[in-house]
Amino acid sequence: MAKKKEPAKPAADPSKLKVQDHKTLDALRSLAQEVLDYAERGRAPHIEVPSRSLSNVRFNQSRKIIEMGSGTNRRELFNLAQAKSYMQTLLVSSGCKQLIEQGKTTSIRGMFYLLKHTIEGTREETFETQDECDPIIEDVEVMLDALREELHLYAQKRGEMVGRITIVDKGDEIDCSRMGSGGYGIPSIVEPDIIQFKKCEADFILHVEKDTVWQRFNEDRFWEKNRCILTHGSGQPPRGVRRLLNRLHHELNLPIYCLLDNDPWGYYIYSVIKQGSINLAYESRRMAIPGAKFLGLRSNDFERCQLTPSVQIKLNEQDIKRAKQIAQYPWFASKKAWQKEIDMMLKNGFKLEVESLISKDISYVTETYVPERLEEGVFLD
Amino acid sequence: MSQASAADSSDSIEGTSSPAPEHRRRTTAEAMATKQRDISVSEFFAKNRHLLGFDNPRKALLTTVKEAVDNSLDACEEAGIIPEIWVHIETTGTNRFKVAVQDNGPGIVKKQIPLIFGKLLYGSKFHRLRMSRGQQGIGISAAGMYGMLTTGKPVLIVSKTAPRKPTHYFELQIDTKRNHPEIINGKGEGEDIHPGEKGLKYIAERGIAWVGHYPAPMRPVNAASASRSPEQAGGHTADAATGNAASSGTKGAEASNAGAASGAGPSTGSAVSGGGATGGAVIGGAAGTGDSTAAETPEGMRVGDELRSGTRVTIELEGRYIRGRGSVDEYLEQTAIANPHVTIHYRDPEGQEITYTRATTKLPPEPTEIKPHPYGVELGRLVTMLKDTSAGSISSFLTDSFSRVTSAVAKSVCEAANISVRANPKRIGRQEADALYQAIQNTRISPPATDCLVAIGEELILKGLHQVVPGEFYCAATRPPSVYRGNPFLIEVGLAYGGASQAQKVSLETLTEMLSESDSRTLRQFLVTTFDGIGGQAADRIMEESKMATRQSPGKLAKADIQRLHAAMRNVNLSEGQSMQVLRYANRVPLQFQPAACAITQSVIQTNWRAYGLTQSRGQLPSGPVTLMVHMASVWVPFTSESKEAVASYPEITKELRLGLQAVGRKLAMYLNRRNRVRQEGERRSIFLRYLGEVAQAVGRIRDMDNPSREAIYERLLNVAKRKTSEADARFDDRGKRLSEDGDDFGDNVLIVGE
């Protein structure tokens, strides 16, 4: 048993704790109390962790978002396969409690380092890598029904924004049209108490997949000419980006168009933005944007834009498997246009990245492709 | 001749052009006849000593001890005396040893002594069909002859048949030409020594070696018998006194104290003999008083009592003493396993004394002699028997000379052979004998009676193995008797699992000595050949651990090197690379050589030990800390050669061996499964325990608890964990039923140590 003496850290003044913090702390305490009760009665303790898998999500037809079901997984202390994750779950809980009480926030990587130590009397680490820690944090989120920021945690910042909007971030006014070439880094936590929208002159939002494409649009001042907000999420957008898009869409009534690769991964990024992810289905309500539209690239763009065959990337087995899987998701299954789109890609036998349009002309994508698509007004839904 | 004619014919084919070479006679039939004469048996064996196991000096030493001990045991058992054997080996020069073996057997009458020890092919065992160790009557006289040939020293025999009768003392030499003994002492008549004190005094004065009294239980000197503590040794003697095998240890200790006290009373008898017989006569005082608590030797004799009867044979011979595999030490150790009713006092050439104390005082029942079974008789033998018989008719010949032949069977045999039942056996011609032989083979005759076989018994195998082989699990199986070629036989298998290998028990001094004695060329070879249970793999690991060069010669190691090797042998986990040790026995005699040629080893290899939880490569002995003893008891053990080293594989024997091995294999598998379960439970528990501390701390932090309360949670969780793991263990039982602690049904005769 670890008898390490912990220096008594002064807890933050309880009066400074927010209402939300009290709620989270209560949830954490009752989790610990459960363990005590089990031990008291000489029973083997366990935790019910809501299941974060495809089998436990359902597609809400009316709200058009993925919602988490009521299925849970039991995590037992006295089960060989679960003993360690049980211990880790309690460690993460105790870490969050510490953060909340001290009124500080840390990254999930910071959390990993906060909790990582060698288990006394062994050579085993509580967490070997961050990959072990991250899913446990997500478990704790769902278990306590608390958002990540409510646990005083944030993920690494990823994704940028420029455009005709002025926001206030922790009291600092930021004009996103004056961000130079770098753009505004979208923080992990973008809740209204942190970020407020001050002034918006944009008509729509263009979300692109990656930094390189985003740079092209920014350099060409696309957002200026087309009165829009330009964002990217470095591939699968992190929660901060998705939450911000969600707020922009709902609070400012801005339509969202996504410019993603024509491959299964692009489809799934769109799917996550639109319906929410399977893994974080409990967050869908805050994050999903059912009104988001898929602008491109389309499977017929190879012919429509008369691209050279050298930009084709052959589909590998994994791509084909994933494409078929995505086609099966209930939120894709009922959409004929999407079925046709996926079918066509499979028939083509190749995928296309947004960057492939550069082969036509460096600014083809900003000057021709996107304006034309917006003009046509034909999007995949 | 055939070679010559072949050459001739090839000549004639090749040399068609040249004239055939003229045959010149080198010698004539008459000239050759002058050189043709009798070959004496002794001369034959003197030249072909390897046939009898005297192929090299090392083996000669072993064979000598072996033949003498086997004879002693046979004699004791036949006379119904619980055997006590003394084996003394003394170095008399470079590669010269004086081997003395003494027993407390019935002794030999004066007239027979020279013939038994001085004439080859003279014995009581050859002509009868009865289970005994010796079979041919060659052994001991051959050993004497070998000794005489190599050292020129006579064989010395001391024998005594009863307390009040004189002791006979002979010095013998063998006339190899005539296969006849020559008595050297007492003007060719031998010497008679007075019985009683006077005689013992004379023996001492003449310097004749003779152990006159039973020694007190000795403290084991050597590590080989270190498993027996003094208390245990005392316990054995006490068992003997009360005839109660289950006597408690404390009782035994008391008894031995009492015994020592009573022995020390009137004389120093027990003290002297207890200190180790000095080889010469040990003159003891009067025997202890008739105190009932006095420690007794099994035969009803008290410690320090005079030997009532016995025989001692001393042979000086050229030999080599090397410990390890195939050594005298190994032979005696293995003999002790298969003969748990025997006590052996052994003094090795370095003067160290080892005593293998008996585990039981019950003599094995006397094997009965049987007549041959008709199926086992060859045609030539049948013809001889027909000539020699005194029966008046074929019918009575068959019924009298063979077992299991009733007059009805005899009649059907005669009918099948087309011979009259009343025909005179002496007049049966060659062809009729052939027909008779065929008829016998084709007639259904019930198998021979098997009560002539005496098994060691499962219980005694366990005792014997436990006494000598350290381990944690022992089991045994005795198969019902079966028949090969008309000879009844039975197979017994004992198995010991666990325990350290011999190599890990060896002391630094002994290792140093062994290294200097070894004639292996490389250190690796030394390890593999010297120690049982070390295979090539284990040897390699020892070499690696000790950082020795593979081709290092064992004789040239520095002291530091030996120390490093010794440490490596202790530290390396040998049980992984250790191969199964197979102890083979035929009629309780250990078979130490030619393992590969033996049906027993072959059967062990062919058995699928993987099914029983051991690892085994194809065509190899299984590996693991396992000692297997396999005993074949038969009225006639089919050896592959005269030196009696390997059992021939008859299908019937192989089958019984397989069944016996499978029987112990199943028990071993059960034990290993259970052990694995215990281990798994332990592992499971340790995983839980590992995380409990963290869980308790985490809960404590969340609930802002102080350290003592955190400890309290930990303790509570710990209790749950303990209960949980034992429950889980019961639930996970492979038969799907909840088993209690000792619910495994191992059947009879299983010994589990240290649980």
Side-chain angles (χ1 to χ4, degrees):
Chain A
M1 178 169 175
K3 275 177 208 154
K4 175 170 56 172
K5 228 190 177 146
E6 284 163 37
K9 284 173 204 144
D13 184 0
S15 60
K16 276 193 184 164
L17 293 179
K18 287 178 249 165
V19 186
Q20 190 55 50
D21 289 339
H22 282 295
K23 202 188 120 201
T24 316
L25 279 178
D26 284 344
L28 283 167
R29 285 203 191 95
S30 68
L31 177 75
Q33 186 59 44
E34 229 176 285
V35 182
L36 291 178
D37 290 345
Y38 276 116
E40 186 83 32
R41 279 178 288 151
R43 302 265 291 276
H46 70 264
I47 319 171
E48 294 290 346
V49 181
S51 162
R52 296 183 292 115
S53 63
L54 181 59
S55 61
N56 193 37
V57 296
R58 68 197 154 81
F59 182 56
N60 188 323
Q61 287 292 351
S62 57
R63 301 171 80 164
K64 307 271 183 211
I65 59 170
I66 296 171
E67 286 182 337
M68 188 148 78
S70 55
T72 58
N73 288 331
R74 178 173 285 217
R75 187 166 292 169
E76 293 172 328
L77 173 56
F78 296 118
N79 177 321
L80 276 192
Q82 298 164 0
K84 187 164 190 183
S85 56
Y86 181 96
M87 178 270 293
Q88 290 170 334
T89 311
L90 280 169
L91 273 184
V92 169
S93 307
S94 76
C96 292
K97 188 245 179 189
Q98 203 180 329
L99 285 176
I100 296 168
E101 273 190 346
Q102 294 178 9
K104 297 196 174 145
T105 54
T106 180
S107 65
I108 49 177
R109 183 149 186 86
M111 180 59 119
F112 164 62
Y113 276 114
L114 178 70
L115 301 173
K116 181 173 158 69
H117 61 260
T118 310
I119 300 170
E120 196 175 281
T122 68
R123 273 187 226 160
E124 197 177 337
E125 292 287 312
T126 48
F127 296 97
E128 290 297 335
T129 60
Q130 199 186 335
D131 296 345
E132 257 183 84
C133 187
D134 291 355
I136 300 280
I137 292 175
E138 284 168 0
D139 283 340
V140 172
E141 287 176 42
V142 276
M143 237 165 52
L144 302 178
D145 196 18
L147 300 173
R148 185 170 282 183
E149 51 271 24
E150 290 170 1
L151 296 174
H152 287 221
L153 287 172
Y154 57 84
Q156 196 193 352
K157 181 167 67 181
R158 224 169 64 202
E160 271 119 19
M161 174 169 82
V162 286
R164 304 183 65 158
I165 185 167
T166 305
I167 59 165
V168 178
D169 182 348
K170 275 218 163 164
D172 297 337
E173 207 176 284
I174 291 163
D175 183 352
C176 289
S177 59
R178 301 166 66 92
M179 297 309 295
S181 61
Y184 168 67
I186 303 169
S188 174
I189 296 169
V190 294
E191 290 309 304
D193 56 338
I194 306 228
I195 289 179
Q196 298 92 37
F197 304 131
K198 194 162 184 221
K199 192 176 92 185
C200 177
E201 290 171 347
D203 295 333
F204 67 95
I205 304 163
L206 182 70
H207 178 81
V208 302
E209 184 165 339
K210 275 164 294 185
D211 179 57
T212 46
V213 180
W214 183 86
Q215 290 288 7
R216 175 88 264 117
F217 279 92
N218 191 23
E219 200 176 284
D220 292 347
R221 311 286 286 182
F222 177 85
W223 48 271
E224 208 170 46
K225 292 172 210 157
N226 293 282
R227 291 175 65 85
C228 76
I229 297 168
L230 189 65
T231 58
H232 82 90
S234 292
Q236 188 64 262
R239 277 194 258 184
V241 173
R242 286 171 56 199
R243 176 64 179 146
L244 189 68
L245 288 177
N246 176 286
R247 283 188 63 204
L248 288 170
H249 177 75
H250 285 104
E251 291 171 29
L252 303 177
N253 283 321
L254 297 174
I256 292 180
Y257 305 106
C258 301
L259 179 65
L260 305 164
D261 289 347
N262 178 37
D263 64 15
W265 315 106
Y267 298 160
Y268 191 65
I269 290 172
Y270 169 69
S271 164
V272 166
I273 291 172
K274 193 175 170 77
Q275 282 99 202
S277 75
I278 296 167
N279 195 24
L280 299 177
Y282 57 97
E283 293 263 52
S284 294
R285 216 172 291 181
R286 295 196 312 139
M287 306 216 175
I289 309 155
K293 305 267 189 274
F294 187 84
L295 182 141
L297 264 47
R298 299 287 298 272
S299 300
N300 60 359
D301 281 341
F302 179 71
E303 281 170 22
R304 185 163 56 177
C305 306
Q306 294 172 334
L307 300 173
T308 57
S310 57
V311 300
Q312 297 175 355
I313 302 171
K314 215 171 161 279
L315 288 176
N316 59 30
E317 268 179 46
Q318 215 185 350
D319 292 329
I320 295 167
K321 204 176 125 198
R322 183 83 181 117
K324 286 178 178 164
Q325 210 175 7
I326 287 170
Q328 297 289 312
Y329 285 153
W331 45 97
F332 280 113
S334 58
K335 288 177 181 161
K336 282 203 181 121
W338 266 109
Q339 294 295 330
K340 246 169 101 181
E341 179 72 19
I342 297 171
D343 260 3
M344 190 166 173
M345 180 191 67
L346 289 173
K347 237 174 257 163
N348 283 346
F350 60 81
K351 53 187 181 185
L352 290 173
E353 289 190 330
V354 180
E355 287 90 330
S356 65
L357 297 176
I358 291 174
S359 67
K360 292 284 285 186
D361 180 80
I362 291 180
S363 289
Y364 178 77
V365 65
T366 58
E367 283 162 10
T368 318
Y369 184 82
V370 173
E372 269 181 14
R373 294 291 94 76
L374 288 170
E375 190 77 7
E376 276 173 23
V378 180
F379 310 108
L380 272 179
D381 187 26
Chain B
M1 275 308 285
S2 62
Q3 270 180 345
S5 64
D8 283 352
S9 62
S10 68
D11 264 0
S12 59
I13 292 166
E14 284 170 16
T16 39
S17 56
S18 67
E22 220 174 288
H23 270 290
R24 194 185 303 129
R25 282 209 159 185
R26 293 192 187 127
T27 182
T28 59
E30 286 72 21
M32 283 166 84
T34 60
K35 289 178 193 158
Q36 289 162 348
R37 60 189 173 89
D38 249 359
I39 302 165
S40 141
V41 192
S42 325
E43 275 181 318
F44 175 77
F45 283 119
K47 276 194 173 170
N48 295 292
R49 32 170 107 149
H50 57 275
L51 290 180
L52 300 172
F54 294 91
D55 6 8
N56 59 54
R58 182 179 186 212
K59 215 164 151 192
L61 184 67
L62 170 69
T63 308
T64 305
V65 173
K66 190 172 162 164
E67 293 296 345
V69 170
D70 287 353
N71 284 350
S72 289
L73 291 175
D74 271 344
C76 289
E77 280 165 25
E78 205 171 334
I81 298 167
I82 296 176
E84 187 116 0
I85 310 268
W86 290 262
V87 178
H88 297 157
I89 303 179
E90 207 183 309
T91 317
T92 57
T94 352
N95 293 340
R96 267 201 187 192
F97 295 92
K98 198 190 250 177
V99 174
V101 176
Q102 182 178 342
D103 59 48
N104 61 342
I108 306 167
V109 295
K110 192 177 176 185
K111 191 167 71 86
Q112 294 293 339
I113 293 174
L115 293 171
I116 287 175
F117 293 96
K119 190 174 164 71
L120 259 70
L121 293 176
Y122 187 92
S124 53
K125 299 164 195 168
F126 187 76
H127 296 280
R128 62 182 183 186
L129 223 40
R130 182 183 139 149
M131 193 182 141
S132 64
R133 293 178 177 78
Q135 284 179 346
Q136 281 109 331
I138 303 178
I140 191 64
S141 38
M145 192 175 70
Y146 173 82
M148 218 186 66
L149 286 171
T150 51
T151 65
K153 292 280 168 70
V155 181
L156 314 179
I157 297 115
V158 183
S159 187
K160 183 175 170 179
T161 53
R164 298 269 158 257
K165 287 198 177 155
T167 306
H168 311 297
Y169 174 62
F170 281 93
E171 293 178 6
L172 289 180
Q173 282 200 325
I174 302 168
D175 182 342
T176 44
K177 283 214 177 87
R178 293 192 312 153
N179 186 18
H180 189 75
E182 276 175 7
I183 303 158
I184 296 173
N185 65 336
K187 293 165 194 153
E189 291 292 319
E191 285 172 65
D192 280 353
I193 299 164
H194 279 289
E197 286 308 306
K198 204 171 138 198
L200 287 173
K201 214 171 196 169
Y202 176 75
I203 285 174
E205 279 165 10
R206 272 288 308 268
I208 301 167
W210 176 252
V211 180
H213 301 85
Y214 287 108
M218 259 189 286
R219 201 174 277 266
V221 186
N222 193 290
S225 56
S227 60
R228 281 178 295 279
S229 65
E231 282 81 12
Q232 278 174 304
H236 285 298
T237 345
D239 293 351
T242 53
N244 176 8
S247 151
S248 73
T250 50
K251 193 174 158 196
E254 277 168 30
S256 76
N257 287 341
S262 74
S267 73
T268 55
S270 79
V272 171
S273 58
T278 46
V282 178
I283 318 287
T289 52
D291 191 340
S292 63
T293 56
E296 282 175 285
T297 52
E299 188 195 355
M301 304 296 279
R302 286 170 209 94
V303 166
D305 257 8
E306 201 182 323
L307 250 65
R308 298 171 68 85
S309 60
T311 307
R312 181 183 182 106
V313 54
T314 309
I315 296 170
E316 193 165 342
L317 72 155
E318 201 180 290
R320 281 202 73 185
Y321 178 75
I322 301 170
R323 266 180 275 240
R325 203 171 287 167
S327 64
V328 174
D329 305 51
E330 188 196 60
Y331 162 75
L332 292 175
E333 185 179 307
Q334 293 188 10
T335 303
I337 295 174
N339 300 276
H341 58 289
V342 179
T343 292
I344 301 171
H345 307 275
Y346 170 48
R347 178 158 10 99
D348 71 14
E350 268 113 46
Q352 293 202 35
E353 309 231 2
I354 304 165
T355 300
Y356 297 99
T357 315
R358 61 177 64 81
T360 175
T361 55
K362 231 173 75 188
L363 262 182
E366 199 185 351
T368 48
E369 198 175 327
I370 59 157
K371 288 181 271 186
H373 191 271
Y375 283 170
V377 175
E378 280 144 3
L379 180 58
R381 183 91 201 283
L382 183 68
V383 174
T384 330
M385 285 170 84
L386 282 166
K387 270 190 192 134
D388 293 347
T389 185
S390 56
S393 68
I394 280 288
S395 171
S396 64
F397 162 73
L398 288 171
T399 48
D400 290 353
S401 319
F402 295 105
S403 65
R404 298 293 173 170
V405 180
T406 58
S407 48
V409 172
K411 201 178 151 203
S412 63
V413 168
C414 290
E415 274 168 18
N418 215 358
I419 300 171
S420 160
V421 182
R422 259 168 281 168
N424 186 346
K426 293 209 161 66
R427 299 232 183 100
I428 294 288
R430 187 84 204 181
Q431 273 183 342
E432 282 164 310
D434 204 7
L436 193 64
Y437 176 75
Q438 291 301 331
I440 287 172
Q441 303 302 321
N442 296 331
T443 310
R444 247 188 85 84
I445 305 169
S446 54
T450 48
D451 53 2
C452 56
L453 296 175
V454 178
I456 301 173
E458 295 178 353
E459 199 185 323
L460 286 181
I461 290 178
L462 290 184
K463 275 189 184 167
L465 270 176
H466 180 44
Q467 194 81 282
V468 182
V469 183
E472 55 194 63
F473 172 78
Y474 301 85
C475 65
T478 296
R479 295 282 312 153
S482 180
V483 177
Y484 80 93
R485 260 188 52 195
N487 293 317
F489 73 96
L490 68 76
I491 297 293
E492 292 180 281
V493 185
L495 181 146
Y497 179 87
S501 153
Q502 287 271 322
Q504 288 181 309
K505 291 184 300 183
V506 75
S507 70
L508 184 61
E509 293 74 42
T510 322
L511 180 69
T512 313
E513 253 169 56
M514 286 174 144
L515 281 166
S516 63
E517 283 164 2
S518 169
D519 49 9
S520 305
R521 257 176 298 127
T522 66
L523 199 53
R524 185 176 184 276
Q525 193 188 2
F526 163 77
L527 289 171
V528 174
T529 52
T530 309
F531 299 103
D532 270 313
I534 294 194
Q537 205 190 338
D540 286 341
R541 260 188 295 162
I542 293 174
M543 304 289 296
E544 201 179 314
E545 170 88 13
S546 61
K547 298 190 180 64
M548 298 277 182
T550 323
R551 311 213 42 92
Q552 177 87 46
S553 156
K556 291 175 190 158
L557 286 180
K559 209 159 186 186
D561 289 337
I562 297 176
Q563 272 171 1
R564 222 167 54 230
L565 181 70
H566 186 246
M569 282 168 69
R570 267 169 197 276
N571 295 337
V572 168
N573 178 11
L574 291 174
S575 63
E576 272 171 37
Q578 194 178 343
S579 66
M580 179 191 265
Q581 194 182 343
V582 181
L583 311 178
R584 299 170 290 132
Y585 294 91
N587 285 350
R588 294 174 185 248
V589 179
L591 309 176
Q592 292 168 278
F593 298 97
Q594 298 193 15
C598 185
I600 294 173
T601 321
Q602 286 159 4
S603 298
V604 173
I605 289 173
Q606 277 157 22
T607 305
N608 178 14
W609 290 95
R610 264 164 294 182
Y612 305 127
L614 297 177
T615 49
Q616 182 184 23
S617 325
R618 190 173 290 276
Q620 298 278 308
L621 286 173
S623 51
V626 192
T627 304
L628 195 68
M629 79 155 272
V630 183
H631 176 222
M632 170 170 178
S634 178
V635 292
W636 190 262
V637 179
F639 288 112
T640 54
S641 72
E642 290 83 353
S643 51
K644 299 193 279 185
E645 287 163 349
V647 176
S649 46
Y650 284 91
E652 295 88 349
I653 297 176
T654 320
K655 182 188 163 201
E656 282 299 313
L657 282 169
R658 198 182 67 233
L659 292 173
L661 291 170
Q662 285 170 347
V664 293
R666 279 191 294 273
K667 288 178 182 178
L668 174 67
M670 251 184 204
Y671 173 72
L672 290 180
N673 276 341
R674 192 169 94 177
R675 221 177 59 142
N676 281 345
R677 284 205 301 276
V678 171
R679 188 191 290 154
Q680 274 167 10
E681 180 196 3
E683 273 168 16
R684 187 153 56 230
R685 191 170 289 173
S686 78
I687 286 175
F688 296 150
L689 294 190
R690 210 181 296 163
Y691 300 141
L692 284 187
E694 294 293 333
V695 170
Q697 287 293 335
V699 169
R701 275 198 295 271
I702 296 173
R703 300 292 306 180
D704 294 321
M705 291 157 73
D706 54 2
N707 271 332
S709 343
R710 291 184 192 186
E711 297 266 6
I713 315 169
Y714 177 74
E715 289 304 323
R716 282 200 193 116
L717 288 172
L718 195 66
N719 285 336
V720 183
K722 279 179 183 159
R723 239 197 30 241
K724 197 72 188 167
T725 43
S726 63
E727 267 177 19
D729 191 51
R731 199 170 61 220
F732 285 123
D733 181 67
D734 47 22
R735 273 174 228 154
K737 54 181 177 182
R738 249 184 116 97
L739 288 177
S740 56
E741 280 293 286
D742 47 5
D744 281 331
D745 183 21
F746 282 109
D748 292 335
N749 292 321
V750 166
L751 183 66
I752 299 172
V753 183
E755 273 206 333

